[in-house]
Amino acid sequence: FQLAFFRFLCATLILSTFMAVTWFTGRRETILQDLRLIGKNWLKLAALGVLGHGIFVSFIYFSLYSGQVPTVAVLQTAMPAVVVAAGFILFRDRLTLPQAMGTTICFLGALLVACEGNPANLLALDLTESVLWMLCAVVAYGVFTVLIRIRPEGLSDLGFLWILVFASAVFIAPWFSVNVANHGLADLRPGVIMAVLYVTIGPGLLAAYFWNRGVKLIGSNQAGVFINLMPVFAGGMAWLVLGETVYWFHFAGLLVIIYGITFVTRKRT
């Protein structure tokens, strides 16, 4: 809870600074319009933020704390299917045949990376409490992705992301307080501060901004397949930062996923 709270608190402060700069650089009407739209739609926007950020991030941290990274990586590959199912249930979205084929191909490519090129590894996954947390996280973010379309017309990307992270910070604050009361405040060493800044600026702001923008531009079904790239990028980051070995299945999985993405995103002639 402490990492999640500091992540959303720092994100809120950073975005508030950007909004202040926007206000004082002559674009006051943009901020006023955002505040009007947020005030008018605050309940659904706050609920959206809690679902897609507060709950999702907390559940992932719980899953990683109680389980193994390979298990989490495998379960993440189910997210595009959740996006498709949620889109159909909530808005009656339908997949075209190329989209269905591409989604399946992407899933197989991500699974190839997650099981390290050996399907037998799937049978050895640690199916414990971690799985339940991750499944809940996958469902939460899948539904959130589909619900991004309820964003009020005219609300800027900056204002939209601000209310999402602010609502998440407010949601996690009571749990943060209880955690600090029971276990004390974490030792904010330089390494811890750098980790907080990374998860704030990277996943918390940049990734969230680009994801929201991408879903708005191409729709949830097409955007969902890109989630399958996460195991590939995780392997690449492990190689770059931790010096871990990159294997053939990383490259093979990447090629399969890219091939599947071309099915989903290509326009019909």
Side-chain angles (χ1 to χ4, degrees):
F1 284 118
Q2 295 191 37
L3 177 59
F5 176 74
F6 283 126
R7 165 179 172 163
F8 292 122
L9 176 63
C10 291
T12 301
L13 294 176
I14 292 172
L15 292 178
S16 297
T17 301
F18 277 110
M19 293 179 76
V21 170
T22 302
W23 176 279
F24 289 111
T25 53
R27 290 173 289 175
R28 186 173 302 182
E29 187 56 38
T30 299
I31 302 301
L32 288 174
Q33 177 173 282
D34 283 349
L35 293 177
R36 284 194 296 266
L37 290 171
I38 290 171
K40 186 177 180 180
N41 303 276
W42 71 270
L43 183 58
K44 70 177 183 181
L45 289 173
L48 193 61
V50 169
L51 177 67
H53 289 256
I55 291 177
F56 171 69
V57 168
S58 298
F59 284 179
I60 279 193
Y61 290 168
F62 291 157
S63 180
L64 290 171
Y65 180 77
S66 58
Q68 299 176 342
V69 173
T71 304
V72 174
V74 170
L75 293 174
Q76 279 184 331
T77 63
M79 196 177 294
V82 174
V83 171
V84 170
F88 177 76
I89 293 172
L90 297 176
F91 299 101
R92 289 295 182 265
D93 292 343
R94 296 185 182 276
L95 283 178
T96 64
L97 180 58
Q99 288 177 337
M101 292 174 59
T103 300
T104 302
I105 293 172
C106 286
F107 172 75
L108 294 175
L111 208 59
L112 176 65
V113 177
C115 72
E116 299 181 346
N118 184 3
N121 288 338
L122 297 176
L123 301 177
L125 291 177
D126 184 19
L127 302 178
T128 61
E129 176 187 357
S130 173
V131 172
L132 296 178
W133 286 120
M134 192 58 202
L135 286 176
C136 291
V138 166
V139 171
Y141 204 75
V143 174
F144 162 77
T145 297
V146 171
L147 290 177
I148 286 178
R149 70 186 70 183
I150 70 173
R151 164 182 171 174
E153 189 67 32
L155 181 61
S156 71
D157 294 331
L158 176 62
F160 182 53
L161 185 55
W162 180 87
I163 184 59
L164 297 182
V165 297
F166 174 72
S168 299
V170 172
F171 169 74
I172 291 179
W175 306 102
F176 166 79
S177 301
V178 172
N179 185 269
V180 171
N182 291 334
H183 304 287
L185 188 65
D187 183 13
L188 298 178
R189 303 184 305 273
V192 174
I193 294 175
M194 290 300 296
V196 170
L197 290 177
Y198 171 76
V199 298
T200 298
I201 298 173
L205 289 177
L206 293 178
Y209 176 87
F210 292 136
W211 182 253
N212 294 341
R213 184 69 177 168
V215 172
K216 180 181 178 182
L217 292 175
I218 66 176
S220 57
N221 283 344
Q222 292 193 55
V225 297
F226 287 88
I227 297 172
N228 290 303
L229 288 168
M230 292 179 67
V232 178
F233 288 138
M237 289 294 291
W239 168 74
L240 185 64
V241 178
L242 303 177
E244 295 187 3
T245 304
V246 176
Y247 295 97
W248 66 268
F249 51 78
H250 291 109
F251 296 104
L254 177 60
L255 292 176
V256 172
I257 292 169
I258 292 175
Y259 181 63
I261 288 175
T262 61
F263 268 86
V264 177
T265 57
R266 69 182 182 183
K267 296 180 179 180
R268 285 190 287 180
T269 57

